[in-house]
Amino acid sequence: MGKAPKKRNLADKVRKTKTSTEIKNNPFEVKINRKKFDILGRKTKHDVGLPGVSRSKAINKRKETLLKEYKQKNKSNKFIDRRFGEYDTKMAPEDKILQRFAMERQRVHEKKDAYNLNEEEELTHYGQSLAEMEKFNDIVNSDDESEEKGLLSGERGLVQMINTWVLSQRERQVQREEAQELTEKLDQDWRSIQALMVKKTPKAEQATKQEEKPKYDMMVRELGFEMKAQPSEKMKTPEELAREETEKLQKLEADRLRRMMGDEVRDSPQSQIHMSADDLNDGFILDKDDKKTLSYQEEGDGEEGDGEEEGSEEEDGHSDLDSEQESEDEERKQEEKETSAKPKKTLSKEEMKAQQEAAKAELPYTFTVPESCSDLKDLLHGHTPDNQRLIVARTQKCNHPSLAVGNKLKLQKLFGFLLEYIGELATRTPPELPTIDKLIPELYALCQMFPEAACKAMQSILGDAAHSMEEVLEVKGHAAFPALDMLIYLKVTALLFPTSDFRHPVTTPALLYMSQALTKCPVRSLQDVTSGLVLCCLAMEYVSFSKRFLPELINFLAGTLHLAVQDKTSLGYTVVPPFRPSGKNSDLLVLSDSESCKSWSKKALPLSATQHLELKNDLDRDQYRLICLSTCLDLVKQCCLLYKDLTSFLHIFQPIRTLLSKHLSVHTLPEPLQVGVTAISSAPVTHIRLVFEKKKPIPLKLLTPKIVEVLDYGKKRGSTREEREKERLKHKYKKEFKGALREIRKDSRFLAREKLNEVMSRDAERKRKVKELFGSLATQEGEWKALKRKKRK
């Protein structure tokens, strides 16, 4: 019964192998590559291809190469044949064998001759020859005798070495002396021959050479006494400079406080002569009495009684002035001894009181940053404009951002407080313009230090002013001209920020605000004319670098000149708002009496007139009208120079030229104004109007275009041979690149399968072993239970 199943299984296996071979050899799945011609030397690939053959070959190849590399990865126990020429396919086997044999013989020979010395040298040990010692002639009776012999032989060997070294030194000395004698003999022979070879120079030339030699020696000595270049001092960073400025101010403040408390201040033993900090003092050797000390002097400290100056003597590192310096040091030490030996001079009560009062009257050197605008006003109240500027400057230096963490935010707030304070100064009666002028540099310094904060502060001021003007325009339809504080803010904007940028976050809104004011604010009084002309001056300052055309500026100047025209019945030009051709407030600049021109003199337009203008009589009014007219003509001249390169220059300034030449009564004006009007109206016109050409312009000559045949799929034909070769190489590169990527993906998949198979085989093996262990444990448990039952029975 056991043999029948085995026969059945064998038959099944035979049947399966037959079916598999039949499937593999199916003629409908065999691929045959037929050839039309037989070409000698060409290898044919896959003449008859069976399905799956190429894939199995690729897998086998990867198993032989890639799989072996993967299995040998991170393993160092692999066999590497390091015999000579083993991996060199160009060498024949016979050559490899001969070369290996020669290298082996050479290696053996080197081993044998490693300690083979010259035969002439005799090796010794403790003075005895090794050859004689090998004969073993001496019979040693005891250990003591051998030790004594060794000591004696060692001493004899040392004496022999010393004698040999002394003899060699003597021989070398003899050889040196002989070489020296030979050299001296050769030198003597050469001198005797040289006299015959050298050409004798005449006596005149020898004399000139002797005269030139002292001159040369003098020049060499002068070069030795010339001033040597000294290394320049290292440039200091802004943080280091700020730290030094703060330390100096703190020292000065401590000195002022000591004097204010009544402490005596010792005078320096040597009077110091102060030098300007801008004096470079380079290239000059100062005499002993003319040496000055370079002192630190703060800007604005030049007033009388405003602080004391500290001086530090400038060191001179010239080598030829060391002796003078030493003598000066000795004299200084002597003077210090004398001053220390003298009794100290005590001040009387009156002098002490005067010193305290003077110290109290002095301006402090250190200040804290004010926390509000009211604190700033209290800090600056009662001080002169120069002292106010000095207070703000010292506040910046004592609270530099690099000195403490919170100083940056404090100084940023100080910029806004200063702007608010400047606006308040402008609204006072009368406006404190000199103080504003003094504070502008400190405002500029803060703007350079914190540009973003300054930009935001000015934007808020300009935005509030523009918003308020728009609200008034929506309600009334017209607005008043900006006040003096706003005009000063516009001027400060031009000083702090660039006006030539095409678009700027601060100056562009300011320019738009001025354009709106020149268009929407009506002119109803001479004070309005003054405000408008100030705005025109600011607008000219804004566009002077960029040469940007501002039509509101030209229209306002033309309207201002129209205010001086007496006869307004027939006009050859157009008047635009905010001016009227005729009616109320259209004759603001017409003179009431022509005799007022005789006493008129040209003056600048007062800025305070925008806030308050007080004219007592008609003569004062006519004088002020002429000032406004003169300012307007000057602005027109500047505009002509600014826009002279525009192609539409004639069209822009034609109304103004017509007004000045035909409608303005020039004879009633003073002589300086007549000259200005004549210069503008009779200026030569260098530009002509834009007109079409009478003839059609001749077109440029065109070349015949190159026609390239373009077929489908973007393939170009008719290109050069190099271009075709380049395209072929590109195509081949893409093809090879895709093939390499394909092979890399196949290799990755193959390795992934192998890794998975390894993991699965390890898991299966582990499961099998675990199953075997559990089975053995189960059998043991069963045997133990059976044994236990037997014992119970």
Side-chain angles (χ1 to χ4, degrees):
M1 291 179 68
K3 293 182 180 179
K6 290 182 180 178
K7 290 181 180 179
R8 192 181 300 113
N9 292 337
L10 183 61
D12 292 340
K13 288 182 180 179
V14 172
R15 193 181 299 111
K16 286 181 180 179
T17 55
K18 286 184 179 180
T19 54
S20 62
T21 53
E22 287 177 359
I23 290 172
K24 288 183 178 179
N25 297 330
N26 188 359
F28 293 101
E29 295 181 356
V30 176
K31 181 181 179 183
I32 300 173
N33 296 328
R34 299 184 180 276
K35 296 185 297 183
K36 293 184 178 180
F37 307 101
D38 291 331
I39 301 173
L40 296 175
R42 178 177 291 181
K43 296 181 181 180
T44 58
K45 297 181 180 179
H46 309 301
D47 292 336
V48 178
L50 297 175
V53 173
S54 59
R55 185 171 179 272
S56 62
K57 286 185 178 180
I59 292 173
N60 293 332
K61 188 174 181 181
R62 286 187 175 89
K63 286 180 179 179
E64 293 175 358
T65 58
L66 189 61
L67 187 59
K68 287 183 179 180
E69 291 179 2
Y70 171 71
K71 288 182 177 180
Q72 292 178 359
K73 184 180 179 183
N74 299 328
K75 293 183 179 179
S76 59
N77 57 351
K78 58 184 179 180
F79 176 76
I80 299 174
D81 193 353
R82 298 186 182 277
R83 292 180 297 173
F84 180 79
E86 183 62 27
Y87 301 104
D88 193 355
T89 57
K90 296 181 181 179
M91 292 183 68
E94 294 82 4
D95 298 340
K96 293 179 182 179
I97 293 170
L98 290 174
Q99 189 68 22
R100 290 171 185 170
F101 179 73
M103 293 175 69
E104 185 66 24
R105 292 296 300 272
Q106 185 179 359
R107 193 181 299 113
V108 173
H109 180 70
E110 289 176 355
K111 286 182 179 180
K112 286 182 178 180
D113 296 343
Y115 299 100
N116 187 14
L117 302 176
N118 295 331
E119 295 179 357
E120 297 176 359
E121 296 180 358
E122 183 179 1
L123 298 177
T124 60
H125 179 68
Y126 284 104
Q128 280 187 334
S129 176
L130 291 178
E132 294 178 358
M133 290 175 65
E134 289 176 356
K135 297 178 181 179
F136 300 102
N137 295 328
D138 298 336
I139 298 174
V140 180
N141 295 327
S142 65
D143 296 337
D144 298 335
E145 292 177 359
S146 63
E147 289 178 1
E148 290 176 1
K149 278 188 176 183
L151 291 172
L152 293 173
S153 61
E155 292 176 357
R156 286 196 297 270
L158 181 60
V159 172
Q160 288 178 1
M161 288 175 64
I162 292 172
N163 293 332
T164 306
W165 180 78
V166 170
L167 290 174
S168 63
Q169 292 292 331
R170 288 179 181 175
E171 289 177 358
R172 291 176 184 174
Q173 182 66 23
V174 171
Q175 290 176 0
R176 278 196 226 98
E177 291 176 356
E178 290 177 356
Q180 185 68 22
E181 291 177 358
L182 290 173
T183 305
E184 292 177 355
K185 186 177 180 182
L186 286 172
D187 290 342
Q188 291 176 1
D189 297 340
W190 170 249
R191 290 193 191 96
S192 61
I193 298 170
Q194 188 181 13
L196 301 175
M197 297 174 63
V198 177
K199 181 182 177 181
K200 293 183 179 180
T201 56
K203 294 182 179 179
E205 294 182 3
Q206 291 181 0
T208 55
K209 287 182 180 180
Q210 291 177 357
E211 291 177 358
E212 291 177 356
K213 188 175 180 181
K215 294 181 180 179
Y216 176 76
D217 295 340
M218 291 175 63
M219 292 173 65
V220 171
R221 293 193 190 96
E222 288 177 358
L223 288 173
F225 286 104
E226 280 190 357
M227 187 185 297
K228 297 178 181 179
Q230 298 294 329
S232 59
E233 294 183 0
K234 177 186 175 183
M235 295 292 291
K236 296 180 181 179
T237 61
E239 290 78 11
E240 293 176 350
L241 293 174
R243 197 176 300 111
E244 289 183 0
E245 294 285 341
T246 306
E247 291 175 357
K248 290 176 182 177
L249 291 174
Q250 289 176 353
K251 289 180 182 178
L252 292 173
E253 179 64 15
D255 181 46
R256 188 185 72 87
L257 292 175
R258 280 197 306 270
R259 288 186 283 110
M260 192 170 63
M261 296 299 294
D263 295 341
E264 295 183 0
V265 180
R266 287 183 57 187
D267 296 332
S268 59
Q270 185 178 1
S271 61
Q272 299 179 352
I273 303 174
H274 294 291
M275 264 172 64
S276 173
D278 297 330
D279 194 355
L280 297 178
N281 191 21
D282 48 355
F284 295 97
I285 302 176
L286 302 177
D287 295 333
K288 176 181 175 182
D289 296 332
D290 295 337
K291 285 190 176 180
K292 302 178 182 179
T293 56
L294 183 63
S295 64
Y296 166 81
Q297 184 174 359
E298 197 177 17
E299 292 184 4
D301 289 352
E303 296 182 1
E304 295 180 359
D306 189 9
E308 295 183 0
E309 300 174 350
E310 290 185 351
S312 60
E313 295 191 357
E314 187 176 1
E315 296 182 355
D316 193 357
H318 304 310
S319 59
D320 54 352
L321 299 179
D322 291 339
S323 60
E324 295 183 6
Q325 289 179 352
E326 292 175 0
S327 62
E328 288 177 4
D329 294 338
E330 293 177 359
E331 291 177 1
R332 191 179 298 109
K333 290 179 181 179
Q334 186 67 23
E335 289 177 357
E336 290 178 357
K337 290 180 182 179
E338 292 177 358
T339 53
S340 61
K342 291 179 181 179
K344 295 183 179 180
K345 182 181 178 182
T346 57
L347 298 177
S348 60
K349 291 184 179 181
E350 291 78 8
E351 292 176 347
M352 185 68 68
K353 189 175 180 180
Q355 178 180 330
Q356 291 179 356
E357 294 296 331
K360 290 179 182 179
E362 286 182 11
L363 197 66
Y365 291 91
T366 57
F367 296 92
T368 58
V369 182
E371 297 181 356
S372 62
C373 186
S374 60
D375 294 343
L376 179 64
K377 294 175 186 176
D378 296 339
L379 182 64
L380 301 179
H381 180 70
H383 292 283
T384 62
D386 291 329
N387 284 348
Q388 291 186 25
R389 184 200 63 81
L390 197 57
I391 291 171
V392 177
R394 290 178 178 177
T395 304
Q396 294 182 37
K397 292 176 182 178
C398 296
N399 300 273
H400 195 268
S402 61
L403 301 177
V405 178
N407 288 348
K408 181 178 180 181
L409 183 61
K410 292 179 181 178
L411 292 180
Q412 288 177 354
K413 292 180 180 179
L414 180 62
F415 182 86
F417 299 156
L418 276 177
L419 281 179
E420 187 176 351
Y421 180 65
I422 286 173
E424 184 182 349
L425 291 177
T427 55
R428 292 179 182 177
T429 305
E432 298 183 9
L433 298 179
T435 306
I436 297 174
D437 189 28
K438 294 291 183 181
L439 293 176
I440 292 297
E442 305 306 323
L443 202 66
Y444 179 80
L446 287 173
C447 179
Q448 295 298 312
M449 195 179 298
F450 311 108
E452 294 183 0
C455 180
K456 291 180 181 178
M458 291 303 302
Q459 281 179 340
S460 64
I461 292 174
L462 294 173
D464 294 341
H467 184 66
S468 61
M469 180 179 285
E470 288 176 358
E471 289 181 350
V472 174
L473 288 174
E474 288 179 0
V475 176
K476 297 182 179 180
H478 58 83
F481 276 93
L484 181 58
D485 57 347
M486 194 61 205
L487 296 177
I488 289 177
Y489 283 143
L490 293 172
K491 175 65 177 179
V492 170
T493 302
L495 294 175
L496 300 185
F497 301 99
T499 58
S500 60
D501 291 357
F502 180 74
R503 187 178 289 107
H504 192 271
V506 179
T507 55
T508 301
L511 191 61
L512 292 175
Y513 176 79
M514 288 189 292
S515 301
Q516 190 175 16
L518 291 174
T519 307
K520 300 295 183 181
C521 299
V523 180
R524 298 175 178 176
S525 62
L526 290 177
Q527 186 174 343
D528 293 341
V529 174
T530 305
S531 301
L533 291 176
V534 171
L535 283 174
C536 291
C537 294
L538 292 174
M540 279 294 300
E541 186 177 355
Y542 273 67
V543 301
S544 59
F545 288 105
S546 61
K547 295 185 178 181
R548 182 180 301 171
F549 178 66
L550 204 62
E552 294 85 0
L553 173 63
I554 305 299
N555 292 335
F556 193 89
L557 293 177
T560 304
L561 293 175
H562 173 72
L563 297 178
V565 176
Q566 294 180 355
D567 188 8
K568 296 182 174 61
T569 55
S570 60
L571 300 177
Y573 53 90
T574 306
V575 180
V576 296
F579 298 94
R580 298 178 181 179
S582 60
K584 187 179 180 182
N585 300 324
S586 62
D587 297 333
L588 292 175
L589 298 183
V590 176
L591 299 178
S592 59
D593 188 5
S594 59
E595 297 294 331
S596 59
C597 299
K598 297 179 180 179
S599 61
W600 179 81
S601 61
K602 190 173 182 179
K603 298 179 183 178
L605 193 67
L607 191 60
S608 58
T610 58
Q611 184 180 7
H612 178 71
L613 181 61
E614 184 178 356
L615 301 174
K616 298 179 180 180
N617 49 32
D618 293 340
L619 180 61
D620 294 340
R621 295 189 189 92
D622 288 345
Q623 296 283 336
Y624 193 79
R625 287 168 181 154
L626 292 174
I627 292 174
C628 294
L629 190 59
S630 174
T631 305
C632 183
L633 290 175
D634 292 339
L635 290 172
V636 171
K637 290 179 185 178
Q638 294 178 18
C639 289
C640 292
L641 294 175
L642 185 64
Y643 301 126
K644 65 179 180 180
D645 296 331
L646 295 178
T647 54
S648 57
F649 174 81
L650 184 62
H651 178 71
I652 294 170
F653 289 94
Q654 185 61 35
I656 295 177
R657 293 166 65 92
T658 303
L659 188 150
L660 294 177
S661 60
K662 297 181 179 180
H663 299 278
L664 187 64
S665 301
V666 182
H667 61 278
T668 60
L669 301 176
E671 186 176 355
L673 297 184
Q674 293 181 10
V675 174
V677 170
T678 306
I680 296 172
S681 59
S682 62
V685 180
T686 58
H687 298 80
I688 58 176
R689 295 179 179 272
L690 296 175
V691 295
F692 288 105
E693 294 185 1
K694 295 180 180 179
K695 295 182 180 180
K696 189 177 181 181
I698 302 173
L700 299 174
K701 293 182 180 180
L702 301 177
L703 301 175
T704 304
K706 182 180 179 180
I707 299 173
V708 180
E709 184 181 1
V710 180
L711 302 178
D712 296 337
Y713 309 109
K715 294 183 179 179
K716 294 184 179 180
R717 303 293 181 185
S719 57
T720 60
R721 183 177 179 181
E722 290 78 6
E723 292 178 356
R724 289 196 298 271
E725 183 68 19
K726 189 176 180 180
E727 293 293 331
R728 187 184 68 80
L729 291 174
K730 284 183 179 180
H731 177 70
K732 189 174 181 181
Y733 165 74
K734 290 180 181 178
K735 186 177 179 181
E736 294 294 333
F737 184 74
K738 290 179 181 178
L741 287 177
R742 193 185 309 112
E743 292 298 325
I744 290 171
R745 294 191 188 102
K746 289 180 180 179
D747 293 344
S748 301
R749 287 196 293 269
F750 174 76
L751 289 175
R753 284 196 300 269
E754 292 297 327
K755 291 178 182 178
L756 182 61
N757 291 334
E758 287 182 1
V759 173
M760 292 177 69
S761 62
R762 287 198 300 267
D763 293 344
E765 184 70 17
R766 184 177 57 81
K767 288 179 181 179
R768 184 185 63 78
K769 290 181 180 179
V770 170
K771 191 174 182 181
E772 288 179 358
L773 289 172
F774 276 111
S776 62
L777 290 173
T779 54
Q780 289 178 9
E781 187 179 4
E783 292 176 356
W784 182 75
K785 287 181 179 179
L787 184 62
K788 196 174 181 181
R789 289 193 208 101
K790 287 180 181 180
K791 287 181 179 181
R792 288 177 182 176
K793 290 179 180 180

